[in-house]
Amino acid sequence: MGATKKYIIKKYVDRELFEVEDIVVKEYALTIFLNDEQFITLLCTQKSLESLVIGFLYSEKIIKSLDCIDNINIDENKCHAYVKLNNLSNINEKLYGKRVITTGCGKGSIFYDALHSLKCNKLSNKVDINYENLLKTMKVFNKRSELFEQTGGVHSVSIIHKDKILYFEEDIGRHNALDKIIGRCLINNVNIEDKIIMTSGRITSEIVLKCAGLGIGCIVSRSAATDLAINTSEELNIEVIGFARENKLNIYNKRV
Amino acid sequence: MGATKKYIIKKYVDRELFEVEDIVVKEYALTIFLNDEQFITLLCTQKSLESLVIGFLYSEKIIKSLDCIDNINIDENKCHAYVKLNNLSNINEKLYGKRVITTGCGKGSIFYDALHSLKCNKLSNKVDINYENLLKTMKVFNKRSELFEQTGGVHSVSIIHKDKILYFEEDIGRHNALDKIIGRCLINNVNIEDKIIMTSGRITSEIVLKCAGLGIGCIVSRSAATDLAINTSEELNIEVIGFARENKLNIYNKRV
């Protein structure tokens, strides 16, 4: 169990081979059952699984709110998550609708048409952004991931208020990490209107769409953003900030 | 058109904001039609699209060889790839089979059950590995990606023979980049038995499975490998090497 596993590996350094113990990040295959029917398997990191399931179902628009879920039962040994939904309307349509394979490191968002989803409503964006605070918080954020320190194999996502990290999640997939944060916000009924999403991963269009679904007004990454992410965030009035490192950051679009 | 787009952005440096021109990597949405029926949309980088389509269909086991394809016609303006297949057997089964969303940065492999796929045959692995050559080649590989230099937003994958880079591909998704390489190998009928895959991205189980499908005996990354990738490669007799940087690399499992 757990998020990591120890291996005896061969290390090659300066033309010499020797055996060392190494810590490797685990891929955990969690199969979600909706009302006893197998729905999907997520390859993820075995942490915050309930948040992941809730955030995933919300991101994929399978549930509109927590109220759609009667209960969740996770059997970590069996790698099963049993979700009892009280409303199964249009799940099949989603399942067999257009398939879009996205750039999601963690997963592709396969249940909706990304381009069609651009027709979301503009956000009435209430987040207050202080760039010095963001850079300060990014430094804390970068040091926060023990899993990354140990394995170098995970992405991190946080939800930020001013210069405070409210929640911090990590996963082999940047989408899973974001879904875990989204799940925690739903579970704890966090008002996200004045919050910021901080991520170690690149900002692609579907990351923007996930944040838009939650009503997030600003996304900050230490990595790059794509053109579609910038255009989408423009449409939705979300501020996208990339390459937030040391004393610098790039603001790809300001909110109006 | 093209793989990048210029934006006027605001740059924040040492508490000062100023406008600069910035080059951003583009997300290109390529919709694949199989025998005139819409099949799937890939978010990718607009380069080597025919190789991507062929490699993707092969990786997802939609085609067993190039012979399954009568012709491919790509309309880059419409973002459409029209593929004429001469054999559509079991495509539906694949489409509506078990869905596995993987850690694929580029996409999840959604058409097969990753765990079931571990039942591939062991490879009769003929690749000859010289670690000094690998480190030397990795340095060349790291400098090779103009797109990464410009945008910081892409992954690179190469196929290597001894210390020679045969093909080099880049994409916003590490899976797309690998599929482009796989496509090029199929198109050019490359004997891959003695070749090595080099990637900038993490080695997860489905990367190993894609390489196994092609018969690749060694995968080298400058990043991490997951436990499932290591276990899978053990099963399939593929050598997995991670964190290949400067004078060091980690050999997660030796071939027998």
Side-chain angles (χ1 to χ4, degrees), chain B residues 167-178:
Chain B
Y167 303 130
F168 180 90
E169 291 290 347
E170 38 196 5
D171 199 281
I172 45 175
R174 68 191 157 100
H175 275 260
N176 294 338
L178 177 55

Side-chain angles (χ1 to χ4, degrees), chain B residues 221-237:
Chain B
S221 171
R222 69 173 169 232
S223 311
T226 67
D227 71 318
L228 198 48
I230 295 169
N231 302 346
T232 309
S233 59
E234 195 82 47
E235 294 258 352
L236 301 173
N237 196 31

Side-chain angles (χ1 to χ4, degrees), chain A residues 7 10-12 14 27 39 41 99 101-102 104-107 132 153 172 202 226-227 231 247 250-251, chain B residues 7 10-12 14 27 39 41 99 101-102 104-107 132 153 172 202 226-227 231 247 250-251:
Chain A
Y7 284 84
K10 287 196 170 54
K11 207 168 183 71
Y12 179 86
D14 293 328
E27 273 182 77
F39 181 58
T41 298
R99 292 167 297 281
I101 289 189
T102 70
C105 178
K107 58 194 162 47
E132 275 313 295
I172 46 175
R202 289 169 301 153
T226 66
D227 73 318
N231 302 346
N247 60 332
N250 290 348
I251 301 144
Chain B
Y7 284 84
K10 287 197 172 53
K11 207 167 183 73
Y12 178 87
D14 293 328
E27 274 182 75
F39 181 58
T41 298
R99 291 168 299 281
I101 289 188
T102 70
C105 178
K107 58 194 162 46
E132 275 314 293
I172 45 175
R202 291 168 300 154
T226 67
D227 71 318
N231 302 346
N247 60 333
N250 289 349
I251 301 145

Side-chain angles (χ1 to χ4, degrees), chain B residues 114-121 209 235-236:
Chain B
L115 305 172
H116 183 264
S117 303
L118 297 185
K119 297 184 188 119
C120 297
N121 295 331
L209 290 170
E235 294 258 352
L236 301 173

